[in-house]
Amino acid sequence: MSFDNELLQQTPDRFDRTFILNRREWLKLFGAGLLICAVDARALQESGARTRSEEENAPRGIQSWIHIGSDNRVTVFTGKAEMGQNIRTSLAQQVAEELKVPIDSIEMVMADTDLCPFDMGTFGSRTTPQMGTELRNIAAAAREMLIEMAAKPLDAKQSELVAFDGTVVSPSQHRSVRYSDLLSGQQLVRVIPDDPELEPAQKWSVAGKPIPKVGGRDFVTGKHQYTSDITRPGMLYGKVLRPTAFQAALSSADTSQAKSLPGITVVQDGEFIGVTAADSTSARRAVELIKAEWKAPEQISDRELYDYMRKQSPATAGAQLGERNNSHEQGSIENGLASADKKIQATYTVAYIQHAPLEPRAAVAEWSGDKLTVWTGTQRPFAVQDDLARASHLPLTSVRVIVPDTGSGYGGKHTGECAVEAARLAKGAGKPVKLQWTREEEFTWAYFRPSGVIDVRAGAGKDGKLTAWEFHNYNSGPAAIATQYTVPNQRIQYHPTQSPPLRQGSYRGLAATANHFARESAMDELAHELGIDPLEFRLKNLEDPRLRAVFQAAADRFGWGKGSGAVGIAGGFEKGGYVATCAEVKVNPSSQAIDIVRVVEAWDCGPVVNPNGLKNQIEGAIAQGIGGALFETVHFEQGRILNPHFSAYRVPRFRDVPQIDVVLIDRKDQKPFGAGETPIVGLAPAVANAVFKATGKRIRSMPLKQG
């Protein structure tokens, strides 16, 4: 079998795959019970599968399933992946709330392409607003159907019945019937309505509570399995020969010494060369014996990065991207600046950084005839299924991707390179193969958070009102590029870089971190020029009541304006979440070392589903943000990463984590939004602004510590 080599270096953004579970196959697996299907009838095709154009940003309807078994236990299926964000618990809470069952009766089946409905992936803070809402709709519809079914056996009017604790109850008759008894021996498929009646957030009794993490004991005892823990009968271990530099082409390869070793299988297909062995050490030694010659082109170093990005960005890019909301202009920048009493002009830079997940990429691949099953840690199981099907020239029905809980992703595990490599090795060896990337491979061959250059010009009057705002982002991306401040004259443009020097892709918060860093730093600079308190200046130019509220909440908890310490403030909005961050720092006068002492962050994403889980998300984002703010940076030269290990790549340590205080604004009257990404965006500008307060020196680069 030949494989498609081009997939190894792709970062796919396509969402062109759909899935409808075959009902008979499903019932073979799970037996009789209530099967709930949400179907977008407009998208059904004669083939029985849905199709989606590449231009659509998100599915119009997400198929979802709930199964109620004969033991009254509930199985919920979702294509979302668990990556440490504890989404298993909060999704189960929302189902329990609407279906009126105990949360410990729910089992979540997640991210298995043979069992779960199609899902674009776990990214973009979409799980709570999209999948959570969809599962609530389905659970609510199931509840109403069960009440309808119970009317006859309870000899009562449907309007008199209520669902409670996995039963339908007739309060007037003091009679009840369990869900499973209503469904005994039946195989029912129902299409849910578009707008089932949901439980208002004000009346939540399960959702909205700090429910402990589902399966928490297994996580802390090490019983819970990740991809790297998976074993299969007769399994071998794989290792792949890597190029000496990015964009390198293979000139020649002598594999004879590796092939001469006992128990070693060499798999070669074009420039792909790998080995399998009974253990990982033998596989590594065999690869080291392969004599390969590579040719790589001249490439820049990180010292030339920012000039390169400007030169490689078309001057007309912003205008060309206007249709995709990456460019915005209103009023006259020239007139706005001319009328300003104070003006600033500054350039901010953001370095490439690595995702640095606790678990590097790993995959276990197993062939059974022409059926391929791969266990791998990914945020997009169906996209990886696509990759495997295309690479191995198989129909989608012959490829299954199973995602064990993944040891963090942060946007870095959208792609399926490791899965494709493992599948190739397993096909060549004729046995299951586990492939685990080393930390150096993860730091080199995975993609990076994009670097960026951002130019800002802005002006304001003596009254503290903004008059002009010009903002140009080169390469790092358009996420959260629009300002939330009221300003009559604006020019905002994103300029993508052609041929970026490193492979780049999604990272927690995308470009929102870079754009908030530049915007909130510039706002602080302008406030300083005007001699106005930074919080007061922001509030003078903010109309959105929810954004004003998080600024005020963070400031009140922090004690803003009540001391003379080195403090800074920043905030913003992205993906439905409102955030404000206050930070206090200490700067060593001699070494200029920056220590973050205290952080207060206020957060509003609508109704809170699990306050403990939400606080954990926010605290984790702040801790991760410390690295990008203070010291994380990728050094590279001539297509090689110069710091591909934790010994040379600094990430936050326990001693770096400050006192963190999270203020949750629980808005039960609003729609829910996710919190996986936006809480990270306020830390870096708040710290940079605090450093300026401490030293009088404005640092306009991330990381703030250089060298």
Side-chain angles (χ1 to χ4, degrees):
M1 174 179 291
S2 63
F3 285 80
D4 189 339
N5 285 301
E6 293 182 2
L7 284 168
L8 289 177
Q9 291 300 319
Q10 288 183 0
T11 306
D13 292 319
R14 299 174 58 208
F15 306 120
D16 57 358
R17 164 74 174 82
T18 58
F19 175 81
I20 288 184
L21 188 65
N22 181 287
R23 177 171 172 255
R24 292 181 180 178
E25 293 299 319
W26 196 96
L27 292 170
K28 285 179 184 178
L29 288 168
F30 297 100
L34 179 63
L35 173 62
I36 309 294
C37 296
V39 181
D40 182 356
R42 295 168 300 177
L44 289 174
Q45 305 297 314
E46 291 181 5
S47 64
R50 295 194 310 164
T51 60
R52 180 181 299 113
S53 68
E54 293 184 19
E55 289 75 24
E56 289 185 88
N57 293 324
R60 295 183 180 180
I62 304 175
Q63 298 180 354
S64 305
W65 286 266
I66 294 177
H67 181 258
I68 301 173
S70 58
D71 57 359
N72 223 36
R73 292 190 61 80
V74 179
T75 307
V76 180
F77 300 85
T78 173
K80 296 299 181 187
E82 171 62 65
M83 300 177 292
Q85 76 276 42
N86 198 21
I87 204 64
R88 179 183 285 107
T89 303
S90 62
L91 287 178
Q93 283 181 262
Q94 293 173 83
V95 172
E97 184 66 57
E98 300 296 344
L99 193 55
K100 304 304 178 187
V101 297
I103 191 170
D104 59 8
S105 72
I106 295 176
E107 178 185 357
M108 301 292 301
V109 176
M110 306 178 71
D112 183 329
T113 60
D114 265 18
L115 301 181
C116 299
F118 170 81
D119 186 86
M120 290 196 302
T122 308
F123 57 85
S125 295
R126 295 179 177 182
T127 300
T128 294
Q130 290 187 356
M131 181 54 67
T133 300
E134 188 69 14
L135 288 178
R136 288 181 66 201
N137 288 337
I138 293 166
R143 178 191 71 226
E144 293 307 309
M145 284 186 274
L146 288 161
I147 291 174
E148 176 188 341
M149 294 170 65
K152 185 175 180 179
L154 291 177
D155 191 22
K157 293 181 179 180
Q158 183 178 341
S159 60
E160 298 174 353
L161 302 178
V162 295
F164 173 75
D165 202 27
T167 64
V168 179
V169 179
S170 172
S172 62
Q173 299 179 2
H174 302 287
R175 296 176 61 199
S176 65
V177 58
R178 292 203 322 163
Y179 292 169
S180 56
D181 293 334
L182 287 170
L183 302 168
S184 178
Q186 299 187 62
Q187 298 177 354
L188 300 178
V189 177
R190 302 279 185 98
V191 177
I192 69 168
D194 292 333
D195 54 349
E197 185 177 350
L198 299 180
E199 193 73 25
Q202 293 86 345
K203 294 184 178 180
W204 282 352
S205 60
V206 181
K209 306 299 180 185
I211 302 294
K213 183 181 180 77
V214 172
R217 178 175 291 275
D218 289 347
F219 287 91
V220 298
T221 60
K223 181 180 178 180
H224 194 85
Q225 288 200 327
Y226 296 83
T227 304
S228 52
D229 299 314
I230 300 295
T231 59
R232 301 297 295 168
M235 188 181 78
L236 301 175
Y237 292 82
K239 185 71 176 174
V240 174
L241 177 71
R242 302 295 180 190
T244 54
F246 299 133
Q247 305 178 46
L250 183 65
S251 300
S252 64
D254 180 356
T255 61
S256 57
Q257 290 189 49
K259 289 179 177 178
S260 68
L261 296 177
I264 297 295
T265 298
V266 175
V267 179
Q268 184 168 2
D269 181 11
E271 293 195 354
F272 175 84
I273 302 176
V275 304
T276 63
D279 58 83
S280 57
T281 300
S282 297
R284 176 179 56 81
R285 289 173 177 168
V287 164
E288 291 172 351
L289 291 175
I290 297 174
K291 298 177 181 178
E293 296 292 334
W294 301 86
K295 288 185 178 180
E298 290 288 318
Q299 297 173 62
I300 71 165
S301 72
D302 57 280
R303 296 184 299 276
E304 309 159 82
L305 177 60
Y306 302 122
D307 287 340
Y308 175 87
M309 286 183 171
R310 288 184 187 280
K311 294 175 182 177
Q312 291 292 314
S313 296
T316 59
Q320 292 173 343
L321 291 168
E323 295 180 0
R324 300 213 307 259
N325 297 320
N326 296 332
S327 177
H328 171 73
E329 188 159 356
Q330 70 180 48
S332 168
I333 288 294
E334 288 69 26
N335 291 344
L337 289 172
S339 65
D341 294 300
K342 294 292 183 180
K343 295 183 283 286
I344 64 162
Q345 182 170 345
T347 295
Y348 305 88
T349 60
V350 179
Y352 277 113
I353 66 174
Q354 234 285 336
H355 296 83
L358 182 64
E359 177 192 42
R361 280 162 174 72
V364 176
E366 181 176 77
W367 290 84
S368 178
D370 286 334
K371 172 73 175 180
L372 171 63
T373 301
V374 177
W375 294 259
T376 189
T378 178
Q379 297 173 234
R380 297 179 61 204
F382 289 91
V384 173
Q385 183 190 32
D386 288 343
D387 288 351
L388 288 163
R390 287 196 298 267
S392 55
H393 307 291
L394 289 174
L396 285 168
T397 52
S398 295
V399 179
R400 181 182 186 182
V401 174
I402 303 171
V403 181
D405 283 9
T406 299
S408 66
Y410 312 126
K413 293 181 178 177
H414 286 196
T415 51
E417 314 94 316
C418 188
V420 174
E421 291 171 345
R424 285 179 153 182
L425 294 174
K427 191 67 175 179
K431 292 183 178 181
V433 169
K434 176 185 286 188
L435 178 65
Q436 294 175 270
W437 282 19
T438 64
R439 182 61 58 184
E440 182 172 351
E441 286 176 306
E442 181 72 32
F443 269 60
T444 303
W445 301 107
Y447 54 87
F448 303 88
R449 186 192 74 180
S451 179
V453 179
I454 299 173
D455 293 332
V456 179
R457 287 198 303 165
K462 292 179 180 178
D463 60 355
K465 294 294 186 69
L466 289 166
T467 62
W469 184 263
E470 185 172 19
F471 193 96
H472 295 269
N473 177 309
Y474 296 86
N475 188 66
S476 58
I481 196 170
T483 179
Q484 299 300 310
Y485 298 106
T486 301
V487 53
N489 304 294
Q490 302 180 28
R491 181 182 295 138
I492 299 172
Q493 292 184 347
Y494 164 54
H495 308 268
T497 297
Q498 297 175 338
S499 303
L502 298 184
R503 187 184 179 204
Q504 55 191 41
S506 295
Y507 185 97
R508 189 177 198 171
L510 302 173
T513 299
N515 288 323
H516 276 84
F517 172 67
R519 181 167 52 247
E520 289 298 288
S521 295
M523 287 292 290
D524 217 67
E525 294 198 44
L526 200 49
H528 177 73
E529 291 296 319
L530 290 163
I532 299 176
D533 174 81
L535 174 61
E536 179 187 351
F537 178 55
R538 286 167 169 82
L539 295 179
K540 277 180 178 288
N541 292 281
L542 271 180
E543 295 180 2
D544 189 318
R546 292 174 70 179
L547 189 49
R548 290 177 63 91
V550 289
F551 267 116
Q552 199 62 63
D556 291 346
R557 181 70 66 87
F558 189 76
W560 183 266
K562 296 180 180 179
S564 57
V567 298
I569 192 169
F573 169 85
E574 170 69 347
K575 293 185 173 71
Y578 297 81
V579 63
T581 308
C582 295
E584 179 181 359
V585 305
K586 287 184 179 179
V587 182
N588 186 296
S590 56
S591 67
Q592 296 299 297
I594 302 168
D595 290 319
I596 305 173
V597 177
R598 183 167 63 107
V599 172
V600 172
E601 185 156 296
W603 174 253
D604 168 9
C605 59
V608 176
V609 176
N610 186 319
N612 282 358
L614 180 55
K615 283 188 175 182
N616 289 342
Q617 280 275 62
I618 295 168
E619 290 169 355
I622 291 169
Q624 183 177 11
I626 292 169
L630 293 186
F631 31 69
E632 286 191 53
T633 184
V634 173
H635 295 297
F636 59 94
E637 187 173 30
Q638 291 295 343
R640 297 177 177 87
I641 302 302
L642 304 180
N643 56 335
H645 309 96
F646 280 138
S647 59
Y649 183 91
R650 178 86 153 82
V651 295
R653 303 185 174 103
F654 282 114
R655 67 171 181 264
D656 298 312
V657 179
Q659 175 187 335
I660 298 175
D661 189 0
V662 173
V663 183
L664 299 181
I665 300 179
D666 189 3
R667 295 193 181 273
K668 296 186 182 298
D669 60 329
Q670 300 290 328
K671 293 181 179 180
F673 286 92
E677 299 186 83
T678 304
I680 201 173
V681 304
L683 182 76
V687 170
N689 295 336
V691 169
F692 174 76
K693 184 75 178 295
T695 65
K697 179 183 178 183
R698 186 67 66 178
I699 304 177
R700 300 184 179 92
S701 58
M702 287 178 63
L704 302 175
K705 294 181 178 179
Q706 300 297 300

